């Protein structure tokens, strides 16, 4: 099928996603990823720690873990959709970072993303495709933050690439 | 809507998003990083297009009291959290969406970033349980709370309630600003293209 042979124009893809996001906004709430990831973290922690997790107030008060939280399934859907797209277009294959510096950058980057999402109560998706279109004050604060962060991150990235 | 139906709707939405993201190679990290580092805007334009459509639609429905806008207090933590996130996504080379999408393509680095996003979230849950900041949703009031570095809650609907002007009017103003940025990018791309063509002509002229 043509769809799986050619790269799709991202402007078209994001316009289509925006239309779907309007329906999601009307039914449940705007597209978000960080909330579902937090719930998954809680469920994994519960599986590992059992009842001891109750001793950490965050998981009692802010995010009591439960599996029927709809935001989790957006992330699982994205994983499934991407897997189908990659398989159908014969683009699925295991890719490994080669250098130790890449592994280190990914580890630190992942940690900062997780800490940042929990500190802000939102992720980049909610920032651009939820809060900003709702003209939420938090959207403008978050965009200022993510632009400043991306600029600092780019400086660090350049230094590591050159160094 | 029952929780099961909610989860099914969310899964269906996510599946289509994952498919479109995979086929278009869209990346939110690249939308910011490439514009800053390389002055290329393939992903930035796509992000702006979605933001323009959503601004008009969301504020339009909010004018009518429809939809489910996010409601929670924001403050210094919103800026600081996304600042850390911005550094993290450039270093990891992926954001919340592309970690899932690239993992679905077999990218082990993206899976590694995802695992450490979870670890980072758990670490922050420990810090939160020690200092209880930022305030829990249950204690949010919607009003500024300066000792907790919180500015309260405001969006297009609160503006509509306070000023008596429909939310869509503010939405159209924001749409115009986003459109101006989009058009500025198109102009810059045209200028880059012309410069590139001129350079190629010059090189061809020298070779001849």
């Amino acid at each position: 099928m043509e769809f799986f042979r050619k790269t799709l124009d991202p402007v078209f893809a994001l316009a289509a996603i925006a239309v779907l996001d309007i329906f999601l906004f009307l039914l449940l709430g705007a597209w978000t990823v960080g909330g579902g990831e937090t719930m998954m973290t809680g469920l994994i922690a519960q599986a590992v720690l059992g009842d001891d997790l109750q001793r950490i107030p965050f998981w009692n008060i802010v995010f009591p873990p439960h599996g029927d939280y709809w935001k989790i399934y957006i992330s699982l859907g994205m994983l499934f959709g991407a897997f189908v797209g990659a398989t159908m277009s014969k683009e699925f294959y295991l890719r490994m970072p080669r250098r130790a510096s890449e592994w280190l950058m990914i580890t630190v980057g992942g940690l900062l993303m997780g800490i940042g999402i929990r500190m802000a109560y939102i992720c980049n998706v909610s920032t651009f495709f939820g809060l900003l279109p709702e003209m939420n004050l938090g959207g403008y604060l978050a965009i200022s933050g993510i632009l400043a962060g991306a600029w600092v991150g780019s400086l660090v990235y350049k230094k590591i690439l050159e160094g | 809507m029952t929780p099961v139906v909610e989860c099914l709707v969310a899964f269906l939405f996510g599946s289509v998003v994952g498919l479109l993201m995979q086929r278009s190679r869209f990346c939110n990290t690249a939308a910011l990083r490439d514009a800053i580092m390389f002055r290329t805007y393939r992903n930035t334009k796509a992000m702006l297009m979605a933001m323009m459509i959503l601004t008009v639609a969301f504020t339009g429905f909010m004018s009518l009291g429809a939809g489910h806008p996010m409601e929670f207090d924001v403050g210094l933590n919103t800026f600081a959290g996304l600042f850390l996130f911005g550094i993290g996504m450039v270093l990891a080379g992926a954001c919340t969406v592309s970690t899932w999408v690239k993992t679905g393509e077999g990218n082990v680095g993206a899976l590694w970033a995802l695992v450490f996003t979870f670890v980072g979230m758990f670490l922050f849950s420990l810090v939160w349980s020690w200092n209880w900041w930022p305030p829990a949703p249950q204690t949010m009031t919607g009003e500024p709370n300066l000792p907790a570095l919180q500015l309260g809650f405001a969006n297009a609907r609160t503006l509509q309630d306070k000023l008596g002007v429909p939310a869509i009017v503010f939405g159209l103003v924001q749409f115009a600003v986003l459109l101006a940025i989009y058009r500025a990018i198109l102009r810059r791309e045209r200028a880059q293209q012309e410069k590139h063509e001129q350079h190629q002509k010059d090189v061809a002229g020298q070779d001849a």
Side-chain angles (χ1 to χ4, degrees):
Chain A
M1 208 202 300
E2 190 72 4
F3 181 75
F4 294 106
R5 276 199 295 269
K6 275 171 68 178
T7 301
L8 197 61
D9 179 356
V11 174
F12 171 79
L14 265 284
I17 289 171
V19 172
L20 291 174
D21 194 19
I22 296 167
F23 286 106
L24 197 68
F25 172 75
L26 292 171
L27 290 171
L28 300 171
W31 179 23
T32 175
V33 181
E37 288 185 343
T38 308
M39 195 58 90
M40 282 188 247
T41 304
L43 290 168
I44 295 166
Q46 196 174 43
V48 174
L49 299 173
D51 290 342
D52 282 346
L53 190 69
Q54 301 295 318
R55 291 164 54 197
I56 304 171
F58 180 88
W59 301 107
N60 267 324
I61 298 166
V62 184
F63 261 93
H66 58 95
D68 59 358
Y69 188 56
W70 61 273
K71 293 175 185 175
I72 295 175
Y73 298 90
I74 294 182
S75 298
L76 297 180
M78 290 193 301
L79 183 69
F80 173 72
F83 176 73
V84 170
T87 311
M88 298 284 285
S89 54
K90 298 190 174 60
E91 288 171 1
F92 183 92
Y93 57 93
L94 288 181
R95 305 155 171 90
M96 287 273 192
R98 293 212 184 105
R99 289 173 299 173
S101 62
E102 282 180 72
W103 283 103
L104 181 66
M105 279 202 297
I106 294 170
T107 306
V108 174
L111 282 171
L112 286 175
M113 286 198 287
I115 292 168
I117 288 172
R118 282 301 4 117
M119 184 184 287
Y121 282 117
I122 46 161
C123 63
N124 62 312
V125 172
S126 312
T127 297
F128 291 106
F129 309 122
L131 288 184
L132 188 96
E134 292 166 13
M135 300 188 72
N136 188 306
L137 173 63
Y140 305 110
L141 288 170
I143 283 195
S144 316
I146 201 168
L147 287 176
W151 183 71
V152 171
S154 298
L155 289 180
V156 175
Y157 190 80
K158 257 187 196 167
K159 269 246 158 27
I160 293 170
L161 279 184
E162 287 162 3
Chain B
M1 203 182 278
T2 64
V4 175
V5 176
E6 287 181 358
C7 294
L8 280 173
V9 168
F11 185 79
L12 190 64
F13 172 81
S15 300
V16 180
V17 167
L19 184 65
L20 290 170
M21 289 279 183
Q22 198 278 328
R23 295 312 305 135
S24 67
R25 318 254 185 289
F26 173 79
C27 177
N28 196 195
T29 304
L32 301 180
R33 180 198 61 203
D34 294 355
I36 294 169
M37 283 178 75
F38 309 116
R39 302 274 184 262
T40 57
Y41 305 97
R42 177 183 184 270
N43 292 283
T44 321
K45 283 186 296 183
M47 197 169 77
L48 281 165
M49 176 58 75
M51 285 157 70
M52 285 190 281
I53 294 170
L54 291 173
T55 296
V56 175
F58 284 7
T59 55
F61 282 113
M62 285 162 78
S63 302
L64 306 170
H68 296 82
M70 282 175 270
E71 291 187 9
F72 55 88
D73 290 358
V74 298
L76 181 68
N77 63 304
T78 318
F79 176 85
L82 265 292
F83 176 73
L84 294 178
F85 184 95
I87 299 174
M89 72 174 193
V90 174
L91 293 185
C95 67
T96 49
V97 180
S98 43
T99 46
W100 289 102
V101 172
K102 288 179 181 175
T103 300
E105 292 178 321
N107 189 319
V108 178
L111 179 62
W112 189 256
L114 199 52
V115 169
F116 277 88
T117 302
F118 289 173
V119 173
M121 287 178 164
F122 188 75
L123 289 178
F124 191 80
S125 77
L126 298 178
V127 175
W128 189 92
S129 301
W130 170 66
N131 69 2
W132 296 64
W133 187 84
Q138 293 90 333
T139 62
M140 290 175 177
T141 59
E143 296 300 322
N145 174 5
L146 295 182
L149 307 171
Q150 296 290 290
L151 296 172
F153 170 70
N155 69 9
R157 194 179 282 170
T158 63
L159 281 177
Q160 173 175 298
D161 293 344
K162 276 191 183 141
L163 304 174
V165 177
I168 182 72
V169 175
F170 304 106
L172 289 174
V173 173
Q174 178 162 292
F175 170 82
V177 173
L178 292 170
L179 183 64
I181 297 170
Y182 191 88
R183 292 182 61 173
I185 287 174
L186 291 182
R187 274 200 300 276
R188 178 171 275 201
E189 280 185 332
R190 267 199 300 274
Q192 282 173 343
Q193 181 66 24
E194 278 166 18
K195 206 171 163 187
H196 177 69
E197 281 167 9
Q198 188 59 43
H199 178 71
Q200 280 193 322
K201 267 185 204 163
D202 290 348
V203 170
Q206 278 170 9
D207 287 347

